[in-house]
Structure formats: structure tokens, C-alpha cells
Amino acid sequence: MVSKAVLRYINELLNPYSQYYSDGVLNSEGMTLLRIIAREVLKEYPNLKPRFTKARRRRDYEYISQLLSDVVSSLSQSP
């Protein structure tokens, strides 16, 4: 189970107007949060690694938000 801090980080990155985006693209602080989220989520869902890799490469809000929405739905379905 991922920690509450990781869930807060996910919520921050789901907000397109947060301080972690510059012109719709993750800035360096946002990339740090994405790295922390990826490390924790991939412990339980290693099959998401290619999507996190692509998210690090693209860095745009649309792709990041879709990935994190899928992560949240996966976490809510886990027992």
C-alpha cells in the first residue's frame, strides 16, 4: 500500500495549475515528485514501468494526468 504522502503528491500532480507545472509541462520539482510516486507505485505494480518511463520523457500534463488517474483507480481496486 502506498503512503498518504504519495497520494498527496499524486493529487498535486493532478492539478494542472500547481506549482509543479510550467506551461503545461512538469518542471524539475514536479519530476522529483513523479520519481517518488513511481518508486512507490512500481513496488506494487511493476507492469506500469513503461508508462512511467514515457511520462518522464513526455512530461506533459495530459499524459501525466491519465497515468496518475489510472494509478489511483488501480489503488482503489486493490484489496
Side-chain angles (χ1 to χ4, degrees):
M1 185 68 192
V2 296
S3 68
K4 290 181 181 181
V6 171
L7 293 175
R8 274 185 275 141
Y9 295 157
I10 289 172
N11 284 332
E12 283 289 327
L13 292 186
L14 285 173
N15 177 7
Y17 302 107
S18 73
Q19 64 186 6
Y20 301 107
Y21 288 98
S22 299
D23 298 324
V25 178
L26 278 180
N27 57 26
S28 59
E29 292 90 6
M31 289 298 290
T32 301
L33 286 186
L34 184 63
R35 187 171 33 255
I36 293 167
I37 293 167
R39 183 177 55 225
E40 295 300 315
V41 169
L42 290 176
K43 289 178 184 176
E44 292 186 39
Y45 301 99
N47 58 322
L48 292 175
K49 185 173 182 175
R51 291 188 66 195
F52 274 104
T53 303
K54 188 173 181 179
R56 287 186 187 128
R57 194 170 51 248
R58 289 188 53 179
R59 298 172 60 161
D60 64 331
Y61 173 75
E62 290 79 20
Y63 191 82
I64 302 279
S65 64
Q66 183 61 45
L67 170 63
L68 295 180
S69 296
D70 292 347
V71 166
V72 168
S73 67
S74 295
L75 291 174
S76 65
Q77 292 176 3
S78 65

